[in-house]
Amino acid sequence: MKKTKLFSLGLVAMAALVAFSGCGGGNKSGSSDKGSSDHSVVMVTDVSGVDDKSFNQSAWEGLQKWGKENKFKRGIGGYDYIQSNEIAQFASNIDTAVSNNFKTVFGIGYLLADSIEAAAGQNPDTNFVIIDTVIEGKDNVVSATFRDNEVGYIAGVSAGYTTKTNKVGFIGGEEGKVIDRYEAGFVKGVKDTAKKLNKEISVDVKYAASFGDPAKGKALAANIYQNGADIIYQAAGGTGAGVFSEAKALNSEKNEADKVWVLGVDRDQQDEGEYKSKDGKESNFCLASTIKSVGVVVQDISTRALEDKFPGGKHLSFGLKDGGVEMTDGYLSDEAKAAVKEAKEQVISGDIKVPETPED
């Protein structure tokens, strides 16, 4: 677990099938209305699940949109997803995708990298995509990553302009390059904002060691809020649901003016912040959400494959400049929105350099 960091004066465009042992319920067998299995697409989730209200859900929403727009049916020969409930299922779920003749297979999240790389070597005629990390030396693999540090930075700016207690928190799922980027950007954004506003703002950084443990997320959030933080930025997949749960429980016992906030991640999580305060007001505690356009990237790469232009062997990187990552206005004050806009422009121009790894 990481220690509190203190900063003082001196941050789109882009079924149930029997054979699918890991699929979500409700899949229906059927072939595509258009094309054939030569253009079929499937995604294999990480352990957070397809309904994590975050990373996997964004990918699935994008794939469903692509399938419907191109008149594909859900199932073999069309589009689908395979649910992974534990890491041990990654390899077998990818094997299932290949054996069911899906042409393009997405691994949603860096945890699937080893399994995707192995399957790509064994199945050179299948297209593979890994999201959030890079696989090198495979002509049938596309790597898609996001400059999460950039959007983490502007989230840090928003927190710095919003906090009343001058204490904020960050909860990550599992430590690694991806969440490192979020943490590094967020902490740098808070640090720069504290300096600009001539304040001291502390950041309490904690990790759950899991992307699928809402109970742990709730417990970590409780600790951070109890220590005085009034905003938590969570980049924790399904674990982040626990952060929302704790904030809702706390806010239900507070007057609306005294609420604590959550910054959402990966998709607009505003709906998760709805609650009724102690003084009976319908309100919302999702301050804003950083958006990772996973669904747009899934659509884009699937379309390229459909057009027989699959960019195998390439690494595609998406950031603030191209809309690959973005942030909602949410409930930010006008001052905070203006500061976020300015910071975004400075990051895009290169005037602000955002680190990719946390500073000691």
Side-chain angles (χ1 to χ4, degrees), residues 123-158:
N123 302 279
D125 295 329
T126 300
N127 299 328
F128 292 91
V129 185
I130 185 66
I131 301 290
D132 251 359
T133 192
V134 178
I135 293 175
E136 297 178 341
K138 299 291 184 185
D139 291 339
N140 60 332
V141 178
V142 173
S143 302
T145 62
F146 299 82
R147 297 191 288 281
D148 310 293
N149 51 320
E150 295 182 352
V151 76
Y153 182 86
I154 60 176
V157 171
S158 75

Side-chain angles (χ1 to χ4, degrees), residues 73-108:
K73 289 184 178 179
R74 184 176 169 184
I76 293 175
Y79 69 95
D80 215 332
Y81 76 90
I82 303 179
Q83 175 70 53
S84 301
N85 297 312
E86 55 186 55
I87 292 175
Q89 294 179 337
F90 290 163
S92 61
N93 284 346
I94 292 169
D95 287 345
T96 296
V98 173
S99 66
N100 279 282
N101 297 315
F102 280 97
K103 179 59 177 178
T104 300
V105 180
F106 283 81
I108 307 300

